[in-house]
Amino acid sequence: MSTHIEAKQGDIAKTVLMPGDPLRAKYIAETFLEDVKQYNTVRNAFGYTGNYKGQEISVQGTGMGIPSVMIYGEELIQEYGVENLIRVGSAGGMKKEIKIRDVVLAQAATTDSSLHRQIFNNQVDFAPIADFDLLKHAYDIGMDKNMSIRVGNVLSADRFYNAELDKQKLADYGVLAVEMEAAGLYSLAAKYNKRALALLTISDHLLTGEETTAEERQTTFNDMMIIALEAALRMEAQAN
Ligand SMILES: O=P(O)(O)O[C@H]1O[C@H](CO)[C@@H](O)[C@H]1O
Ligand SMILES: O=c1cc[nH]c(=O)[nH]1
């Protein structure tokens, strides 16, 4: 048991899918996994372990924002020996080439969080990046399945509501989408020499104001979940 997770040692798999929304964790477990056991209910941050095509995989809801995802990431790595951390989140599109329902693979994560200034004592602006193997597997899987995949930089914003932020400048510099956790997850993976990737389904668009319907969200979120699960299988095959 760790501070925020009540699982016993051995209850959590080496690869964990990490949605912000705990109900998305429940949905993934119920829809895609077999022989599911729930290992966490603390703070309703639901956590499950089950089998996907014979491979043990866990799903952990992380809550919203860098502070929250870093609590779960830290405990999963430090207390439960997790190796692969795969965020499956929603994001807002920031560039006109990015369409609602696209799945963005966050190759890097820019942030307005002070996280890296604190870690590196203001010496550098650290660039948090995805694990290349995870990224390549996810890209290959998405392309093979003819899914609408985009790869690039995202913004991990500290505030969901931030009228002051110059989003146009970020878009001009190639930032594809905004979400709230990837930079923290990537930095944690770098610190502990683990692997992390954020897959993000575009649920709304900051330029057009367009939003997905609940039904569309479910179908496209499924695409992202399938990519994450299949990438997890490839990581396990690679490790063995
Ligand atoms: O859908 P999730 O994974 O929670 O991700 C996005 O949604 C939340 C904001 O509504 C933030 O956590 C953001 O990163
Ligand atoms: O953080 C987020 C997530 C989805 N959509 C947004 O606009 N921001």
Side-chain angles (χ1 to χ4, degrees):
M1 171 155 191
S2 62
T3 306
H4 301 89
I5 303 174
E6 62 192 338
K8 295 192 297 296
Q9 287 301 318
D11 281 353
I12 303 180
K14 294 285 172 217
T15 299
V16 181
L17 270 54
M18 301 174 72
D21 182 354
L23 292 178
R24 197 178 310 138
K26 183 170 191 278
Y27 174 83
I28 294 169
E30 288 173 351
T31 310
F32 296 103
L33 303 184
E34 292 176 338
D35 305 323
V36 175
K37 290 201 180 80
Q38 184 163 14
Y39 65 75
N40 196 53
T41 58
V42 175
R43 289 177 180 254
N44 283 341
F46 303 142
Y48 307 86
T49 298
N51 284 302
Y52 178 73
K53 298 185 178 176
Q55 179 64 51
E56 190 178 70
I57 288 174
S58 296
V59 193
Q60 173 66 55
T62 67
M64 291 183 274
I66 287 173
S68 192
V69 77
M70 289 186 81
I71 287 175
Y72 293 99
E74 180 91 24
E75 292 181 21
L76 289 171
I77 292 170
Q78 287 281 70
E79 308 279 345
Y80 296 100
V82 170
E83 294 287 332
N84 304 309
L85 302 103
I86 307 178
R87 170 162 155 67
V88 281
S90 62
M94 287 177 65
K95 282 184 81 73
K96 69 175 186 322
E97 306 90 276
I98 298 298
K99 307 293 182 212
I100 293 285
R101 294 180 292 273
D102 282 353
V103 177
V104 169
L105 309 183
Q107 185 178 15
T110 297
T111 186
D112 59 350
S113 163
S114 64
L115 168 75
H116 302 111
R117 273 170 267 146
Q118 293 173 39
I119 295 173
F120 293 100
N121 200 21
N122 279 319
Q123 295 172 103
V124 296
D125 288 323
F126 180 71
I129 59 168
D131 175 75
F132 181 75
D133 288 343
L134 265 175
L135 179 64
K136 182 173 187 314
H137 289 320
Y139 179 77
D140 290 347
I141 292 158
M143 295 306 278
D144 285 351
K145 293 184 182 299
N146 281 322
M147 292 171 181
S148 189
I149 301 289
R150 309 299 301 248
V151 183
N153 204 351
V154 302
L155 172 66
S156 297
D158 245 0
R159 285 185 284 159
F160 183 88
Y161 299 106
N162 185 349
E164 295 83 15
L165 188 68
D166 188 346
K167 299 184 188 76
Q168 186 56 54
K169 167 135 328 157
L170 287 160
D172 290 346
Y173 273 69
V175 174
L176 306 179
V178 56
E179 54 85 70
M180 300 180 70
E181 292 84 14
L185 190 65
Y186 287 1
S187 297
L188 210 50
K191 176 178 179 186
Y192 292 115
N193 195 23
K194 305 299 178 194
R195 299 172 181 270
L197 174 66
L199 290 92
L200 306 163
T201 303
I202 301 299
S203 56
D204 55 278
H205 208 293
L206 272 59
L207 284 183
T208 63
E210 205 185 342
E211 290 181 347
T212 39
T213 63
E215 193 186 342
E216 284 173 332
R217 212 170 290 157
Q218 176 148 332
T219 318
T220 47
F221 276 36
N222 279 359
D223 282 357
M224 165 178 72
M225 291 162 192
I226 289 165
I227 295 173
L229 290 162
E230 292 290 329
L233 291 187
R234 292 195 189 185
M235 292 306 289
E236 291 292 339
Q238 184 177 309
N240 295 321

